[in-house]
Structure formats: structure tokens, C-alpha cells
Amino acid sequence: MEVVITPTAAGGAALVADAVVALLARRPAAVLGLATGSSPLGVYRELVERCRAGRVSFRAARAFLLDEYVGLPPAAPQAYARVIRRDLTDALDLAPGAVDGPDGAAVDVPGECARYEAALAAAGGVDLQLLGIGTDGHVGFNEPGSSLASRTRLKTLTRRTRTDNARFFGGDPDAVPRHVLTQGLGTLLDARHLVLLASGEAKAAAVAAAVEGPVSASCPASVLQLHPHATVVLDDAAASRLAGADHHRETWAGKPAWQGL
Ligand code: GLP
């Protein structure tokens, strides 16, 4: 696992955008794994800017979402399928139909989860998966206790996650859906490159558990330790509880630029 610490989240976002641009340059039909939430927003702003400036094209690319709420009305602004359009994909030059996500309104939930896994496989798997981390260590919506081998399925959110996400639901944790569909931790491990972004002091404990704690279902993000190409991009505040922070800073400073992330 590579840990990259930048003084500000904006610096990390630019590095991750560089990695996406480099991927698309060598593989225009790349498959991107997109996350919602605040953590990747800086990366999305960079990508939109660079696409508008003609420095990158997503014309041949495809994208898959990590997760979705179950039971929201179709037009709900909080639905991740809508959030990602607003935050990113509507502003890119992706082909129509290039973005897929688990359908939180599906009547046949196991069938929808199987469809999604099959769609990911048919696309050849994800080249670069963006991830955030919850304050309880969740990735996607894989809450603590999630099997490290899990696949796309229905999960129940913890009270803590519903409280964290209440800001998108008028501040009311009870307005946050109880259930979600999410790629599993085993699904995520199939991506060729995992890039987790975290910023701010509120994420520092979860980041330390994920990076320096044991690999454990109790901290789902610790599954990144099992992946051959996992990158954790942090600002100083999110890295503040890492015992190895200085080592990571030194390693990054000495890394040959051609290697990228
Ligand atoms: C949500 C999402 C995750 C996201 C996490 C952190 O629950 N399902 O994909 O990583 O929260 O969110 P944020 O980036 O807004 O802190």
C-alpha cells in the first residue's frame, strides 16, 4: 500500500486526477470506478476542468458506481445515480449509457446485485476505483463486519453512517435510508488500482485503523492492505494519527516522478 500525504486535499486531488488522465491516455476505453461523497469532489473538479480544456477525453470510457441507497423516490436528489451526474458525469464527454450503478429501486434485489456483478465482469473489471472512507472505516457502504470476500449485495447502514450522511437529508438521520446496495469488498479487490482519498481530522482514526491496524472486517477499509496496487491519498489532518506518517512523506518525496501513483 502506498500512502501519499499532501498538505492540502487539493494537492492530493490533483495527483489523483493526474493518475486518471494518465490511465485514459494509455487506455482510452478505461473502466473507472466512481465514489460519491465529499472525498472525491476535488478530483472531480479537476477532471471536469481538464475535460473542458480538452486535456482529457472520456469518450470511450465507462464508469461504475460503488453503491446506492435503497428505497429513495426515483427523483430524490440524494440518489447516488443523480449525485454523480451532478458532481461529475454530466460535465464530461462520456457516451450515453456509459455510467452504470446498482439500481436501488429494483424489486428483485438479489437479481439486481447479480446483474451488476455481471456488468462489471463483462466490462473487463475496473481499472481505477476511487474510494472514500467512512468515520467507522466503511468503504462503499460496506459497514464494519462486512465479509472481506463479499460481493454486491444489500446492506443495512449503521446509526453512525446515517448520522454522518444526515447532512444530505435535512439533518435528520431517520430520513437517511436504512438499506443500501453496495459493491462488496471482494468486488473492490477485483479492481486493478484502488485509490482511497481522505481529508480532515474526522477521518484520522479510521485512516489509521485502515492503514496500520490489522486486516479485519471490523475496519472494512483495511481490506486495501490485501490489494497489490492500493494508494491512500491523505491531507495532513487525515494522516495525523498515522505512526508512519514521516516515513510515508519521505518515501513519496523520493519517488521517481515517472512512476506516478
Ligand atoms: C458514504 C459513501 C461512501 C463514502 C463515505 C464517506 O457513506 N457511501 O462511498 O466514501 O460516505 O463520505 P465523505 O467522502 O462524504 O466523507
mmCIF file with all atom_site columns, all heavy atoms in Angstrom, residues 133-145 156-162 164 202-203 205-207 209 217-221:
data_model
loop_
_atom_site.group_PDB
_atom_site.id
_atom_site.type_symbol
_atom_site.label_atom_id
_atom_site.label_alt_id
_atom_site.label_comp_id
_atom_site.label_asym_id
_atom_site.label_entity_id
_atom_site.label_seq_id
_atom_site.pdbx_PDB_ins_code
_atom_site.Cartn_x
_atom_site.Cartn_y
_atom_site.Cartn_z
_atom_site.occupancy
_atom_site.B_iso_or_equiv
_atom_site.pdbx_formal_charge
_atom_site.auth_seq_id
_atom_site.auth_comp_id
_atom_site.auth_asym_id
_atom_site.auth_atom_id
_atom_site.pdbx_PDB_model_num
ATOM 1   N N   . ILE A 1 133 ? -13.722 7.050  2.684  1.00 0.00 ? 133 ILE A N   1
ATOM 2   C CA  . ILE A 1 133 ? -13.772 6.188  3.869  1.00 0.00 ? 133 ILE A CA  1
ATOM 3   C C   . ILE A 1 133 ? -14.749 6.814  4.866  1.00 0.00 ? 133 ILE A C   1
ATOM 4   O O   . ILE A 1 133 ? -14.754 8.039  5.052  1.00 0.00 ? 133 ILE A O   1
ATOM 5   C CB  . ILE A 1 133 ? -12.359 5.989  4.489  1.00 0.00 ? 133 ILE A CB  1
ATOM 6   C CG1 . ILE A 1 133 ? -12.391 5.015  5.673  1.00 0.00 ? 133 ILE A CG1 1
ATOM 7   C CG2 . ILE A 1 133 ? -11.730 7.324  4.902  1.00 0.00 ? 133 ILE A CG2 1
ATOM 8   C CD1 . ILE A 1 133 ? -11.002 4.593  6.174  1.00 0.00 ? 133 ILE A CD1 1
ATOM 9   N N   . GLY A 1 134 ? -15.587 5.985  5.463  1.00 0.00 ? 134 GLY A N   1
ATOM 10  C CA  . GLY A 1 134 ? -16.496 6.483  6.486  1.00 0.00 ? 134 GLY A CA  1
ATOM 11  C C   . GLY A 1 134 ? -15.772 6.607  7.824  1.00 0.00 ? 134 GLY A C   1
ATOM 12  O O   . GLY A 1 134 ? -14.699 6.024  8.017  1.00 0.00 ? 134 GLY A O   1
ATOM 13  N N   . THR A 1 135 ? -16.354 7.360  8.741  1.00 0.00 ? 135 THR A N   1
ATOM 14  C CA  . THR A 1 135 ? -15.682 7.528  10.042 1.00 0.00 ? 135 THR A CA  1
ATOM 15  C C   . THR A 1 135 ? -15.626 6.197  10.805 1.00 0.00 ? 135 THR A C   1
ATOM 16  O O   . THR A 1 135 ? -14.825 6.039  11.715 1.00 0.00 ? 135 THR A O   1
ATOM 17  C CB  . THR A 1 135 ? -16.384 8.595  10.916 1.00 0.00 ? 135 THR A CB  1
ATOM 18  O OG1 . THR A 1 135 ? -17.758 8.225  11.079 1.00 0.00 ? 135 THR A OG1 1
ATOM 19  C CG2 . THR A 1 135 ? -16.302 9.976  10.284 1.00 0.00 ? 135 THR A CG2 1
ATOM 20  N N   . ASP A 1 136 ? -16.464 5.237  10.419 1.00 0.00 ? 136 ASP A N   1
ATOM 21  C CA  . ASP A 1 136 ? -16.393 3.907  11.042 1.00 0.00 ? 136 ASP A CA  1
ATOM 22  C C   . ASP A 1 136 ? -15.557 2.938  10.210 1.00 0.00 ? 136 ASP A C   1
ATOM 23  O O   . ASP A 1 136 ? -15.572 1.731  10.447 1.00 0.00 ? 136 ASP A O   1
ATOM 24  C CB  . ASP A 1 136 ? -17.805 3.340  11.272 1.00 0.00 ? 136 ASP A CB  1
ATOM 25  C CG  . ASP A 1 136 ? -18.590 3.148  9.969  1.00 0.00 ? 136 ASP A CG  1
ATOM 26  O OD1 . ASP A 1 136 ? -18.042 3.445  8.878  1.00 0.00 ? 136 ASP A OD1 1
ATOM 27  O OD2 . ASP A 1 136 ? -19.746 2.683  10.033 1.00 0.00 ? 136 ASP A OD2 1
ATOM 28  N N   . GLY A 1 137 ? -14.837 3.453  9.214  1.00 0.00 ? 137 GLY A N   1
ATOM 29  C CA  . GLY A 1 137 ? -13.951 2.612  8.402  1.00 0.00 ? 137 GLY A CA  1
ATOM 30  C C   . GLY A 1 137 ? -14.646 1.953  7.222  1.00 0.00 ? 137 GLY A C   1
ATOM 31  O O   . GLY A 1 137 ? -14.047 1.113  6.551  1.00 0.00 ? 137 GLY A O   1
ATOM 32  N N   . HIS A 1 138 ? -15.911 2.349  6.927  1.00 0.00 ? 138 HIS A N   1
ATOM 33  C CA  . HIS A 1 138 ? -16.560 1.699  5.786  1.00 0.00 ? 138 HIS A CA  1
ATOM 34  C C   . HIS A 1 138 ? -16.013 2.218  4.461  1.00 0.00 ? 138 HIS A C   1
ATOM 35  O O   . HIS A 1 138 ? -15.555 3.356  4.365  1.00 0.00 ? 138 HIS A O   1
ATOM 36  C CB  . HIS A 1 138 ? -18.093 1.805  5.864  1.00 0.00 ? 138 HIS A CB  1
ATOM 37  C CG  . HIS A 1 138 ? -18.691 3.138  5.540  1.00 0.00 ? 138 HIS A CG  1
ATOM 38  N ND1 . HIS A 1 138 ? -19.354 3.908  6.464  1.00 0.00 ? 138 HIS A ND1 1
ATOM 39  C CD2 . HIS A 1 138 ? -18.770 3.831  4.378  1.00 0.00 ? 138 HIS A CD2 1
ATOM 40  C CE1 . HIS A 1 138 ? -19.813 5.002  5.885  1.00 0.00 ? 138 HIS A CE1 1
ATOM 41  N NE2 . HIS A 1 138 ? -19.458 4.991  4.622  1.00 0.00 ? 138 HIS A NE2 1
ATOM 42  N N   . VAL A 1 139 ? -16.037 1.346  3.475  1.00 0.00 ? 139 VAL A N   1
ATOM 43  C CA  . VAL A 1 139 ? -15.755 1.750  2.088  1.00 0.00 ? 139 VAL A CA  1
ATOM 44  C C   . VAL A 1 139 ? -16.931 1.289  1.245  1.00 0.00 ? 139 VAL A C   1
ATOM 45  O O   . VAL A 1 139 ? -17.466 0.214  1.479  1.00 0.00 ? 139 VAL A O   1
ATOM 46  C CB  . VAL A 1 139 ? -14.423 1.183  1.515  1.00 0.00 ? 139 VAL A CB  1
ATOM 47  C CG1 . VAL A 1 139 ? -13.236 1.972  2.014  1.00 0.00 ? 139 VAL A CG1 1
ATOM 48  C CG2 . VAL A 1 139 ? -14.266 -0.288 1.813  1.00 0.00 ? 139 VAL A CG2 1
ATOM 49  N N   . GLY A 1 140 ? -17.286 2.104  0.231  1.00 0.00 ? 140 GLY A N   1
ATOM 50  C CA  . GLY A 1 140 ? -18.583 1.884  -0.410 1.00 0.00 ? 140 GLY A CA  1
ATOM 51  C C   . GLY A 1 140 ? -19.588 2.031  0.724  1.00 0.00 ? 140 GLY A C   1
ATOM 52  O O   . GLY A 1 140 ? -19.522 2.987  1.504  1.00 0.00 ? 140 GLY A O   1
ATOM 53  N N   . PHE A 1 141 ? -20.471 1.071  0.848  1.00 0.00 ? 141 PHE A N   1
ATOM 54  C CA  . PHE A 1 141 ? -21.332 1.036  2.033  1.00 0.00 ? 141 PHE A CA  1
ATOM 55  C C   . PHE A 1 141 ? -21.095 -0.263 2.790  1.00 0.00 ? 141 PHE A C   1
ATOM 56  O O   . PHE A 1 141 ? -22.011 -0.808 3.391  1.00 0.00 ? 141 PHE A O   1
ATOM 57  C CB  . PHE A 1 141 ? -22.800 1.192  1.643  1.00 0.00 ? 141 PHE A CB  1
ATOM 58  C CG  . PHE A 1 141 ? -23.318 2.612  1.684  1.00 0.00 ? 141 PHE A CG  1
ATOM 59  C CD1 . PHE A 1 141 ? -24.124 3.091  0.667  1.00 0.00 ? 141 PHE A CD1 1
ATOM 60  C CD2 . PHE A 1 141 ? -23.044 3.456  2.755  1.00 0.00 ? 141 PHE A CD2 1
ATOM 61  C CE1 . PHE A 1 141 ? -24.633 4.384  0.701  1.00 0.00 ? 141 PHE A CE1 1
ATOM 62  C CE2 . PHE A 1 141 ? -23.554 4.751  2.796  1.00 0.00 ? 141 PHE A CE2 1
ATOM 63  C CZ  . PHE A 1 141 ? -24.344 5.216  1.775  1.00 0.00 ? 141 PHE A CZ  1
ATOM 64  N N   . ASN A 1 142 ? -19.856 -0.761 2.742  1.00 0.00 ? 142 ASN A N   1
ATOM 65  C CA  . ASN A 1 142 ? -19.508 -1.971 3.485  1.00 0.00 ? 142 ASN A CA  1
ATOM 66  C C   . ASN A 1 142 ? -19.206 -1.566 4.924  1.00 0.00 ? 142 ASN A C   1
ATOM 67  O O   . ASN A 1 142 ? -18.107 -1.100 5.247  1.00 0.00 ? 142 ASN A O   1
ATOM 68  C CB  . ASN A 1 142 ? -18.294 -2.659 2.852  1.00 0.00 ? 142 ASN A CB  1
ATOM 69  C CG  . ASN A 1 142 ? -18.617 -3.213 1.485  1.00 0.00 ? 142 ASN A CG  1
ATOM 70  O OD1 . ASN A 1 142 ? -19.197 -4.292 1.360  1.00 0.00 ? 142 ASN A OD1 1
ATOM 71  N ND2 . ASN A 1 142 ? -18.281 -2.450 0.449  1.00 0.00 ? 142 ASN A ND2 1
ATOM 72  N N   . GLU A 1 143 ? -20.200 -1.766 5.759  1.00 0.00 ? 143 GLU A N   1
ATOM 73  C CA  . GLU A 1 143 ? -20.076 -1.362 7.160  1.00 0.00 ? 143 GLU A CA  1
ATOM 74  C C   . GLU A 1 143 ? -19.217 -2.367 7.935  1.00 0.00 ? 143 GLU A C   1
ATOM 75  O O   . GLU A 1 143 ? -18.992 -3.490 7.450  1.00 0.00 ? 143 GLU A O   1
ATOM 76  C CB  . GLU A 1 143 ? -21.475 -1.279 7.788  1.00 0.00 ? 143 GLU A CB  1
ATOM 77  C CG  . GLU A 1 143 ? -22.366 -0.192 7.187  1.00 0.00 ? 143 GLU A CG  1
ATOM 78  C CD  . GLU A 1 143 ? -22.013 1.209  7.681  1.00 0.00 ? 143 GLU A CD  1
ATOM 79  O OE1 . GLU A 1 143 ? -20.845 1.465  8.034  1.00 0.00 ? 143 GLU A OE1 1
ATOM 80  O OE2 . GLU A 1 143 ? -22.924 2.064  7.707  1.00 0.00 ? 143 GLU A OE2 1
ATOM 81  N N   . PRO A 1 144 ? -18.732 -1.990 9.134  1.00 0.00 ? 144 PRO A N   1
ATOM 82  C CA  . PRO A 1 144 ? -17.945 -2.930 9.932  1.00 0.00 ? 144 PRO A CA  1
ATOM 83  C C   . PRO A 1 144 ? -18.678 -4.269 10.075 1.00 0.00 ? 144 PRO A C   1
ATOM 84  O O   . PRO A 1 144 ? -19.887 -4.298 10.294 1.00 0.00 ? 144 PRO A O   1
ATOM 85  C CB  . PRO A 1 144 ? -17.807 -2.210 11.272 1.00 0.00 ? 144 PRO A CB  1
ATOM 86  C CG  . PRO A 1 144 ? -17.829 -0.762 10.903 1.00 0.00 ? 144 PRO A CG  1
ATOM 87  C CD  . PRO A 1 144 ? -18.823 -0.665 9.768  1.00 0.00 ? 144 PRO A CD  1
ATOM 88  N N   . GLY A 1 145 ? -17.919 -5.335 9.909  1.00 0.00 ? 145 GLY A N   1
ATOM 89  C CA  . GLY A 1 145 ? -18.492 -6.681 9.944  1.00 0.00 ? 145 GLY A CA  1
ATOM 90  C C   . GLY A 1 145 ? -18.664 -7.263 8.554  1.00 0.00 ? 145 GLY A C   1
ATOM 91  O O   . GLY A 1 145 ? -18.900 -8.452 8.399  1.00 0.00 ? 145 GLY A O   1
ATOM 92  N N   . THR A 1 156 ? -27.312 -3.038 5.588  1.00 0.00 ? 156 THR A N   1
ATOM 93  C CA  . THR A 1 156 ? -28.022 -2.135 6.498  1.00 0.00 ? 156 THR A CA  1
ATOM 94  C C   . THR A 1 156 ? -27.004 -1.140 7.042  1.00 0.00 ? 156 THR A C   1
ATOM 95  O O   . THR A 1 156 ? -25.927 -1.540 7.509  1.00 0.00 ? 156 THR A O   1
ATOM 96  C CB  . THR A 1 156 ? -28.633 -2.939 7.665  1.00 0.00 ? 156 THR A CB  1
ATOM 97  O OG1 . THR A 1 156 ? -29.522 -3.910 7.102  1.00 0.00 ? 156 THR A OG1 1
ATOM 98  C CG2 . THR A 1 156 ? -29.404 -2.035 8.614  1.00 0.00 ? 156 THR A CG2 1
ATOM 99  N N   . LEU A 1 157 ? -27.339 0.148  6.981  1.00 0.00 ? 157 LEU A N   1
ATOM 100 C CA  . LEU A 1 157 ? -26.400 1.168  7.466  1.00 0.00 ? 157 LEU A CA  1
ATOM 101 C C   . LEU A 1 157 ? -26.370 1.205  8.986  1.00 0.00 ? 157 LEU A C   1
ATOM 102 O O   . LEU A 1 157 ? -27.391 0.983  9.649  1.00 0.00 ? 157 LEU A O   1
ATOM 103 C CB  . LEU A 1 157 ? -26.797 2.549  6.935  1.00 0.00 ? 157 LEU A CB  1
ATOM 104 C CG  . LEU A 1 157 ? -26.693 2.732  5.422  1.00 0.00 ? 157 LEU A CG  1
ATOM 105 C CD1 . LEU A 1 157 ? -27.081 4.156  5.046  1.00 0.00 ? 157 LEU A CD1 1
ATOM 106 C CD2 . LEU A 1 157 ? -25.280 2.410  4.920  1.00 0.00 ? 157 LEU A CD2 1
ATOM 107 N N   . THR A 1 158 ? -25.211 1.536  9.524  1.00 0.00 ? 158 THR A N   1
ATOM 108 C CA  . THR A 1 158 ? -25.109 1.757  10.967 1.00 0.00 ? 158 THR A CA  1
ATOM 109 C C   . THR A 1 158 ? -25.725 3.117  11.303 1.00 0.00 ? 158 THR A C   1
ATOM 110 O O   . THR A 1 158 ? -25.861 4.001  10.441 1.00 0.00 ? 158 THR A O   1
ATOM 111 C CB  . THR A 1 158 ? -23.636 1.782  11.434 1.00 0.00 ? 158 THR A CB  1
ATOM 112 O OG1 . THR A 1 158 ? -22.967 2.842  10.750 1.00 0.00 ? 158 THR A OG1 1
ATOM 113 C CG2 . THR A 1 158 ? -22.932 0.465  11.134 1.00 0.00 ? 158 THR A CG2 1
ATOM 114 N N   . ARG A 1 159 ? -26.048 3.268  12.570 1.00 0.00 ? 159 ARG A N   1
ATOM 115 C CA  . ARG A 1 159 ? -26.568 4.549  13.050 1.00 0.00 ? 159 ARG A CA  1
ATOM 116 C C   . ARG A 1 159 ? -25.536 5.656  12.777 1.00 0.00 ? 159 ARG A C   1
ATOM 117 O O   . ARG A 1 159 ? -25.878 6.778  12.394 1.00 0.00 ? 159 ARG A O   1
ATOM 118 C CB  . ARG A 1 159 ? -26.834 4.422  14.560 1.00 0.00 ? 159 ARG A CB  1
ATOM 119 C CG  . ARG A 1 159 ? -27.578 5.584  15.141 1.00 0.00 ? 159 ARG A CG  1
ATOM 120 C CD  . ARG A 1 159 ? -29.040 5.536  14.722 1.00 0.00 ? 159 ARG A CD  1
ATOM 121 N NE  . ARG A 1 159 ? -29.669 6.823  14.932 1.00 0.00 ? 159 ARG A NE  1
ATOM 122 C CZ  . ARG A 1 159 ? -30.839 7.167  14.430 1.00 0.00 ? 159 ARG A CZ  1
ATOM 123 N NH1 . ARG A 1 159 ? -31.533 6.344  13.675 1.00 0.00 ? 159 ARG A NH1 1
ATOM 124 N NH2 . ARG A 1 159 ? -31.338 8.353  14.669 1.00 0.00 ? 159 ARG A NH2 1
ATOM 125 N N   . ARG A 1 160 ? -24.284 5.317  12.971 1.00 0.00 ? 160 ARG A N   1
ATOM 126 C CA  . ARG A 1 160 ? -23.226 6.310  12.792 1.00 0.00 ? 160 ARG A CA  1
ATOM 127 C C   . ARG A 1 160 ? -23.180 6.828  11.348 1.00 0.00 ? 160 ARG A C   1
ATOM 128 O O   . ARG A 1 160 ? -23.048 8.034  11.108 1.00 0.00 ? 160 ARG A O   1
ATOM 129 C CB  . ARG A 1 160 ? -21.887 5.674  13.169 1.00 0.00 ? 160 ARG A CB  1
ATOM 130 C CG  . ARG A 1 160 ? -20.725 6.612  13.097 1.00 0.00 ? 160 ARG A CG  1
ATOM 131 C CD  . ARG A 1 160 ? -19.581 6.046  13.892 1.00 0.00 ? 160 ARG A CD  1
ATOM 132 N NE  . ARG A 1 160 ? -18.396 6.847  13.760 1.00 0.00 ? 160 ARG A NE  1
ATOM 133 C CZ  . ARG A 1 160 ? -17.201 6.474  14.209 1.00 0.00 ? 160 ARG A CZ  1
ATOM 134 N NH1 . ARG A 1 160 ? -17.065 5.303  14.832 1.00 0.00 ? 160 ARG A NH1 1
ATOM 135 N NH2 . ARG A 1 160 ? -16.165 7.251  14.068 1.00 0.00 ? 160 ARG A NH2 1
ATOM 136 N N   . THR A 1 161 ? -23.288 5.915  10.396 1.00 0.00 ? 161 THR A N   1
ATOM 137 C CA  . THR A 1 161 ? -23.262 6.343  8.991  1.00 0.00 ? 161 THR A CA  1
ATOM 138 C C   . THR A 1 161 ? -24.507 7.145  8.657  1.00 0.00 ? 161 THR A C   1
ATOM 139 O O   . THR A 1 161 ? -24.443 8.147  7.941  1.00 0.00 ? 161 THR A O   1
ATOM 140 C CB  . THR A 1 161 ? -23.138 5.111  8.058  1.00 0.00 ? 161 THR A CB  1
ATOM 141 O OG1 . THR A 1 161 ? -21.893 4.474  8.348  1.00 0.00 ? 161 THR A OG1 1
ATOM 142 C CG2 . THR A 1 161 ? -23.188 5.497  6.600  1.00 0.00 ? 161 THR A CG2 1
ATOM 143 N N   . ARG A 1 162 ? -25.641 6.734  9.194  1.00 0.00 ? 162 ARG A N   1
ATOM 144 C CA  . ARG A 1 162 ? -26.871 7.500  8.919  1.00 0.00 ? 162 ARG A CA  1
ATOM 145 C C   . ARG A 1 162 ? -26.758 8.901  9.534  1.00 0.00 ? 162 ARG A C   1
ATOM 146 O O   . ARG A 1 162 ? -27.224 9.876  8.954  1.00 0.00 ? 162 ARG A O   1
ATOM 147 C CB  . ARG A 1 162 ? -28.088 6.740  9.434  1.00 0.00 ? 162 ARG A CB  1
ATOM 148 C CG  . ARG A 1 162 ? -28.336 5.465  8.614  1.00 0.00 ? 162 ARG A CG  1
ATOM 149 C CD  . ARG A 1 162 ? -29.464 4.654  9.174  1.00 0.00 ? 162 ARG A CD  1
ATOM 150 N NE  . ARG A 1 162 ? -30.763 5.163  8.778  1.00 0.00 ? 162 ARG A NE  1
ATOM 151 C CZ  . ARG A 1 162 ? -31.864 5.020  9.517  1.00 0.00 ? 162 ARG A CZ  1
ATOM 152 N NH1 . ARG A 1 162 ? -31.819 4.410  10.684 1.00 0.00 ? 162 ARG A NH1 1
ATOM 153 N NH2 . ARG A 1 162 ? -33.014 5.498  9.087  1.00 0.00 ? 162 ARG A NH2 1
ATOM 154 N N   . ASP A 1 164 ? -23.825 10.495 10.002 1.00 0.00 ? 164 ASP A N   1
ATOM 155 C CA  . ASP A 1 164 ? -22.842 11.198 9.155  1.00 0.00 ? 164 ASP A CA  1
ATOM 156 C C   . ASP A 1 164 ? -23.488 11.707 7.866  1.00 0.00 ? 164 ASP A C   1
ATOM 157 O O   . ASP A 1 164 ? -23.145 12.783 7.368  1.00 0.00 ? 164 ASP A O   1
ATOM 158 C CB  . ASP A 1 164 ? -21.687 10.257 8.778  1.00 0.00 ? 164 ASP A CB  1
ATOM 159 C CG  . ASP A 1 164 ? -20.711 10.028 9.919  1.00 0.00 ? 164 ASP A CG  1
ATOM 160 O OD1 . ASP A 1 164 ? -20.784 10.757 10.923 1.00 0.00 ? 164 ASP A OD1 1
ATOM 161 O OD2 . ASP A 1 164 ? -19.861 9.110  9.810  1.00 0.00 ? 164 ASP A OD2 1
ATOM 162 N N   . ALA A 1 202 ? -11.542 14.400 11.126 1.00 0.00 ? 202 ALA A N   1
ATOM 163 C CA  . ALA A 1 202 ? -12.609 13.437 11.444 1.00 0.00 ? 202 ALA A CA  1
ATOM 164 C C   . ALA A 1 202 ? -12.338 12.054 10.856 1.00 0.00 ? 202 ALA A C   1
ATOM 165 O O   . ALA A 1 202 ? -12.879 11.058 11.331 1.00 0.00 ? 202 ALA A O   1
ATOM 166 C CB  . ALA A 1 202 ? -13.951 13.962 10.935 1.00 0.00 ? 202 ALA A CB  1
ATOM 167 N N   . LYS A 1 203 ? -11.477 11.992 9.837  1.00 0.00 ? 203 LYS A N   1
ATOM 168 C CA  . LYS A 1 203 ? -11.183 10.704 9.207  1.00 0.00 ? 203 LYS A CA  1
ATOM 169 C C   . LYS A 1 203 ? -9.900  10.073 9.755  1.00 0.00 ? 203 LYS A C   1
ATOM 170 O O   . LYS A 1 203 ? -9.559  8.939  9.399  1.00 0.00 ? 203 LYS A O   1
ATOM 171 C CB  . LYS A 1 203 ? -11.050 10.880 7.682  1.00 0.00 ? 203 LYS A CB  1
ATOM 172 C CG  . LYS A 1 203 ? -12.307 11.388 6.992  1.00 0.00 ? 203 LYS A CG  1
ATOM 173 C CD  . LYS A 1 203 ? -13.402 10.339 7.003  1.00 0.00 ? 203 LYS A CD  1
ATOM 174 C CE  . LYS A 1 203 ? -14.710 10.857 6.421  1.00 0.00 ? 203 LYS A CE  1
ATOM 175 N NZ  . LYS A 1 203 ? -14.685 10.978 4.976  1.00 0.00 ? 203 LYS A NZ  1
ATOM 176 N N   . ALA A 1 205 ? -8.793  8.737  12.598 1.00 0.00 ? 205 ALA A N   1
ATOM 177 C CA  . ALA A 1 205 ? -8.820  7.462  13.325 1.00 0.00 ? 205 ALA A CA  1
ATOM 178 C C   . ALA A 1 205 ? -9.137  6.308  12.375 1.00 0.00 ? 205 ALA A C   1
ATOM 179 O O   . ALA A 1 205 ? -8.498  5.243  12.434 1.00 0.00 ? 205 ALA A O   1
ATOM 180 C CB  . ALA A 1 205 ? -9.847  7.529  14.457 1.00 0.00 ? 205 ALA A CB  1
ATOM 181 N N   . ALA A 1 206 ? -10.112 6.517  11.505 1.00 0.00 ? 206 ALA A N   1
ATOM 182 C CA  . ALA A 1 206 ? -10.480 5.456  10.553 1.00 0.00 ? 206 ALA A CA  1
ATOM 183 C C   . ALA A 1 206 ? -9.308  5.166  9.610  1.00 0.00 ? 206 ALA A C   1
ATOM 184 O O   . ALA A 1 206 ? -9.019  4.001  9.298  1.00 0.00 ? 206 ALA A O   1
ATOM 185 C CB  . ALA A 1 206 ? -11.716 5.875  9.761  1.00 0.00 ? 206 ALA A CB  1
ATOM 186 N N   . VAL A 1 207 ? -8.620  6.208  9.179  1.00 0.00 ? 207 VAL A N   1
ATOM 187 C CA  . VAL A 1 207 ? -7.467  6.030  8.289  1.00 0.00 ? 207 VAL A CA  1
ATOM 188 C C   . VAL A 1 207 ? -6.361  5.235  8.995  1.00 0.00 ? 207 VAL A C   1
ATOM 189 O O   . VAL A 1 207 ? -5.787  4.296  8.430  1.00 0.00 ? 207 VAL A O   1
ATOM 190 C CB  . VAL A 1 207 ? -6.938  7.403  7.809  1.00 0.00 ? 207 VAL A CB  1
ATOM 191 C CG1 . VAL A 1 207 ? -5.547  7.285  7.217  1.00 0.00 ? 207 VAL A CG1 1
ATOM 192 C CG2 . VAL A 1 207 ? -7.912  8.032  6.810  1.00 0.00 ? 207 VAL A CG2 1
ATOM 193 N N   . ALA A 1 209 ? -6.658  3.115  11.442 1.00 0.00 ? 209 ALA A N   1
ATOM 194 C CA  . ALA A 1 209 ? -7.083  1.716  11.594 1.00 0.00 ? 209 ALA A CA  1
ATOM 195 C C   . ALA A 1 209 ? -6.959  0.979  10.264 1.00 0.00 ? 209 ALA A C   1
ATOM 196 O O   . ALA A 1 209 ? -6.526  -0.178 10.224 1.00 0.00 ? 209 ALA A O   1
ATOM 197 C CB  . ALA A 1 209 ? -8.525  1.663  12.095 1.00 0.00 ? 209 ALA A CB  1
ATOM 198 N N   . ALA A 1 217 ? -12.514 -7.415 9.214  1.00 0.00 ? 217 ALA A N   1
ATOM 199 C CA  . ALA A 1 217 ? -13.854 -6.989 8.813  1.00 0.00 ? 217 ALA A CA  1
ATOM 200 C C   . ALA A 1 217 ? -14.358 -5.865 9.714  1.00 0.00 ? 217 ALA A C   1
ATOM 201 O O   . ALA A 1 217 ? -15.263 -5.127 9.339  1.00 0.00 ? 217 ALA A O   1
ATOM 202 C CB  . ALA A 1 217 ? -14.818 -8.174 8.859  1.00 0.00 ? 217 ALA A CB  1
ATOM 203 N N   . SER A 1 218 ? -13.762 -5.709 10.884 1.00 0.00 ? 218 SER A N   1
ATOM 204 C CA  . SER A 1 218 ? -14.179 -4.634 11.794 1.00 0.00 ? 218 SER A CA  1
ATOM 205 C C   . SER A 1 218 ? -13.785 -3.264 11.255 1.00 0.00 ? 218 SER A C   1
ATOM 206 O O   . SER A 1 218 ? -14.357 -2.256 11.657 1.00 0.00 ? 218 SER A O   1
ATOM 207 C CB  . SER A 1 218 ? -13.555 -4.832 13.181 1.00 0.00 ? 218 SER A CB  1
ATOM 208 O OG  . SER A 1 218 ? -13.998 -6.051 13.694 1.00 0.00 ? 218 SER A OG  1
ATOM 209 N N   . CYS A 1 219 ? -12.776 -3.235 10.390 1.00 0.00 ? 219 CYS A N   1
ATOM 210 C CA  . CYS A 1 219 ? -12.427 -1.990 9.687  1.00 0.00 ? 219 CYS A CA  1
ATOM 211 C C   . CYS A 1 219 ? -12.387 -2.345 8.198  1.00 0.00 ? 219 CYS A C   1
ATOM 212 O O   . CYS A 1 219 ? -11.333 -2.717 7.675  1.00 0.00 ? 219 CYS A O   1
ATOM 213 C CB  . CYS A 1 219 ? -11.082 -1.423 10.140 1.00 0.00 ? 219 CYS A CB  1
ATOM 214 S SG  . CYS A 1 219 ? -10.664 0.079  9.224  1.00 0.00 ? 219 CYS A SG  1
ATOM 215 N N   . PRO A 1 220 ? -13.541 -2.235 7.514  1.00 0.00 ? 220 PRO A N   1
ATOM 216 C CA  . PRO A 1 220 ? -13.608 -2.707 6.124  1.00 0.00 ? 220 PRO A CA  1
ATOM 217 C C   . PRO A 1 220 ? -12.518 -2.120 5.218  1.00 0.00 ? 220 PRO A C   1
ATOM 218 O O   . PRO A 1 220 ? -12.013 -2.801 4.327  1.00 0.00 ? 220 PRO A O   1
ATOM 219 C CB  . PRO A 1 220 ? -15.013 -2.278 5.690  1.00 0.00 ? 220 PRO A CB  1
ATOM 220 C CG  . PRO A 1 220 ? -15.796 -2.285 6.970  1.00 0.00 ? 220 PRO A CG  1
ATOM 221 C CD  . PRO A 1 220 ? -14.848 -1.785 8.021  1.00 0.00 ? 220 PRO A CD  1
ATOM 222 N N   . ALA A 1 221 ? -12.128 -0.856 5.448  1.00 0.00 ? 221 ALA A N   1
ATOM 223 C CA  . ALA A 1 221 ? -11.115 -0.245 4.574  1.00 0.00 ? 221 ALA A CA  1
ATOM 224 C C   . ALA A 1 221 ? -9.752  -0.914 4.726  1.00 0.00 ? 221 ALA A C   1
ATOM 225 O O   . ALA A 1 221 ? -8.881  -0.748 3.864  1.00 0.00 ? 221 ALA A O   1
ATOM 226 C CB  . ALA A 1 221 ? -10.999 1.250  4.862  1.00 0.00 ? 221 ALA A CB  1
#
